Amino acid sequence: MSLQDDLSSVQRRLDELGRAVSKLEQHIGDSLDMRRVRADTKHLSDDLALLRDSVSTTPAGQKPRQEMVTIPDTPYDPSLWSGAEDEGLGAPDRRAP
């Protein structure tokens, strides 16, 4: 199967899941658990749409290119850390265990 065939297959199954959840909701009614299932179904559909968009912009056979983030070697401004405590060491006026 091609990638598009696989994506279409997943979309069909998500559509089936949506219909099954609707039927289940008719039997159970509106409850917190049912709303969670409905929201999870919606999230899956949204995530698949995002995945479709990301692979459609990538030429066939290539992995999506990730943006490189450059982190400078220069030290951070010390004022960023004013008033902060070192994790695991406690406050400056106390002794570590």
Side-chain angles (χ1 to χ4, degrees):
M1 282 185 128
S2 72
L3 175 62
Q4 291 305 320
D5 291 341
D6 289 339
L7 288 170
S8 296
S9 175
V10 171
Q11 183 63 57
R12 281 192 304 275
R13 284 169 174 78
L14 280 176
D15 293 342
E16 290 172 17
L17 176 63
R19 287 189 292 274
V21 167
S22 293
K23 288 180 182 179
L24 185 62
E25 193 170 22
Q26 290 174 358
H27 293 290
I28 295 175
D30 187 36
S31 68
L32 177 60
D33 294 330
M34 196 67 236
R35 281 180 271 163
R36 285 180 179 158
V37 170
R38 171 68 61 198
D40 289 344
T41 304
K42 175 77 170 107
H43 290 156
L44 285 171
S45 293
D46 293 346
D47 291 344
L48 182 64
L50 289 172
L51 181 62
R52 272 185 186 269
D53 290 345
S54 71
V55 297
S56 68
T57 59
T58 305
Q62 290 185 355
K63 292 183 179 179
R65 184 174 177 161
Q66 295 182 353
E67 183 179 335
M68 182 70 76
V69 177
T70 305
I71 300 174
D73 290 331
T74 57
Y76 288 110
D77 180 6
S79 67
L80 291 173
W81 314 117
S82 65
E85 297 179 7
D86 291 329
E87 288 186 29
L89 298 177
D93 58 339
R94 290 180 277 176
R95 296 180 53 192

